[in-house]
Amino acid sequence: MPGSAASPGRTPEDWRAWQPDDPPPGAPLAVWRWNASAVGAQPSILSQEELSRADNMAPRRRARFLADRSALRRILACHLARLPGALAFTYSALGRPTLAPHGEMALDFNLSHSGDQSVLAVCRSGAVGVDIEHLRALPDILAVARRVFPPAWVERLLAQPEAGRRRAFFELWTRFEACQKATGRGVFSGVSAVIDQATRAFLVTEDCIGHICLSGAALPPDIAWLQLDAND
C-alpha cells in the first residue's frame, strides 16, 4: 500500500481497560476506543453549545453525539489533568474541533465512529487523523474507489480476489480518510490531496478496522491502546 507503514493490525484484545485512578497516558500517541451505547452520555460535563447542538438532532443521532462528546471530554481531561467540563473548543472551517488555548501542552486529537464503536486518537507531537469502518456490503465498491482513490490504489483493489475486495476497500478507505483528516483536508477534496503519509492499521473489533496517521511524521513505536468502559 503506497505510503503505509508495514505494520500488522492490532487485535481486539490488545486494548487495555483504563481505570479512573490511572495516571494520564505517558505515550506520545494514545488511541482510545469505546462503545457509545454502553458508555452513555454525561450531560453535566457538556457545554451549553454542545447541548443546544444536540437538541436539533434526531433522537438516535443526539444520543450518539452526547455519548461521544462526553467520552471526548473525559479522555482529554485525563490527558491534561483538568476537569472535563472546563475544556473549551474552537472549530476549523471543516468543523474539526481543537482545544481552545488555555496554557496547556500542545495536544491534537481526532475522533471517528462506525456503528456503536468510537475511536479517539490523542497526540502530543503533531496533527493526527484516525478513521474506522465496519466491514459491510457496499453496492458498487469499484465506482466509489474510482471516484476517490488515486489510480494506483484502484489497481491494487482490482488485483484483489472478489472474496477479499470488500476488506481491501475498507483498508484503503480508512487509510485515505485518516490521511485527509491528519492533513486537514476534506475526504472528497480529490485524489491530488492524497499525501504520502506514514500510517498504521489496527483492529477495533473483529469486524471493525481502522488506520491512524500523523501529518508529516513517522508514527511513534510506543502507542497506548486504551479502552473506556461504561463504569469508568
Side-chain angles (χ1 to χ4, degrees), residues 1 46 51 53 66 70-72 100 104 106 112 116 127 130 145 156 159 163-164 172 175-176 185 191 222 224 226 229:
M1 186 182 306
L46 300 180
L51 295 173
R53 283 176 62 187
L66 293 173
S70 298
L72 171 70
E104 53 258 44
S112 181
D116 286 336
V130 68
R156 180 184 178 91
L172 291 167
R175 179 181 180 268
F176 182 88
R185 298 175 180 269
V191 296
D222 52 338
L226 301 167
D229 290 324

Side-chain angles (χ1 to χ4, degrees), residues 107-125:
L107 201 68
D108 194 57
F109 60 92
N110 193 232
L111 173 70
S112 181
H113 59 80
S114 181
D116 286 336
Q117 297 296 325
S118 296
V119 167
L120 178 73
V122 182
C123 184
R124 302 176 186 270
S125 58

Side-chain angles (χ1 to χ4, degrees), residues 42-88:
Q42 294 184 7
S44 63
I45 68 174
L46 300 180
S47 69
Q48 187 56 53
E49 183 269 340
E50 288 167 323
L51 295 173
S52 297
R53 283 176 62 187
D55 286 343
N56 295 322
M57 298 176 182
R60 185 173 180 178
R61 186 183 174 202
R62 177 169 63 247
R64 180 57 178 269
F65 174 80
L66 293 173
D68 280 348
R69 291 301 292 223
S70 298
L72 171 70
R73 284 181 170 273
R74 291 166 60 195
I75 290 169
L76 294 179
C78 168
H79 280 268
L80 296 169
R82 295 188 62 201
L83 294 175
L87 302 178

